Amino acid sequence: MSKCICNSCKNLKSVIDQSNLEKSGITETCEFGFLSDDCLDCQLDGCDLTCENYATNEIEEELIVIKCARCDKEMTIQSNSPKDGEVYCVACYLNN
C-alpha cells in the first residue's frame, strides 16, 4: 500500500461536526468530494488511489526571524506573512 494522498492534500478540510461529538467531533471533507466511499473512514495508513484535483499542502515558504517589539524574543514567521505595524510575541500581546 502506498501513502494516502488525502493526508497531504490542500483540498482536505477538517470541519467540526456537532452530531459526532462522541467520537472526535471532527469530520474530514474534500472540496471536490472523496474518490471512494472508503475515504470517509480512512485511517490515513495508505491506499492506491490517485486524484486529478490533488494539490499539495506542504508549504515551501522561506522563513524569516523577527523580534518582539516589547521583549525582543525571536520568532520565526513565513516571509509572505503580513507584518502591519509592530509584532509582538504571544505573552506580550496578551499582556498588552
Side-chain angles (χ1 to χ4, degrees):
M1 254 191 215
S2 60
K3 182 178 176 185
C4 178
I5 61 170
C6 294
N7 190 25
S8 62
C9 183
K10 184 188 290 188
N11 299 317
L12 188 69
K13 307 289 183 210
S14 298
V15 179
I16 296 174
D17 185 1
Q18 294 293 334
S19 65
N20 191 14
L21 292 177
E22 63 276 355
K23 290 185 179 179
S24 66
I26 298 175
T27 302
E28 301 292 332
T29 61
C30 178
E31 182 177 339
F32 298 99
F34 288 114
L35 298 170
S36 164
D37 290 338
D38 294 334
C39 294
L40 296 173
D41 297 322
C42 179
Q43 299 300 313
L44 302 176
D45 57 354
C47 67
D48 293 324
L49 298 173
T50 58
C51 179
E52 64 185 41
N53 298 312
Y54 176 80
T56 183
N57 67 358
E58 297 175 10
I59 300 172
E60 295 181 16
E61 299 281 335
E62 184 178 326
L63 300 176
I64 58 172
V65 176
I66 60 169
K67 291 187 178 186
C68 173
R70 182 173 286 163
C71 72
D72 288 332
K73 177 181 178 179
E74 289 187 348
M75 299 173 285
T76 305
I77 64 169
Q78 293 179 354
S79 61
N80 65 348
S81 296
K83 296 174 284 296
D84 295 337
E86 296 178 328
V87 178
Y88 297 94
C89 68
V90 174
C92 289
Y93 179 80
L94 293 175
N95 290 327
N96 197 5

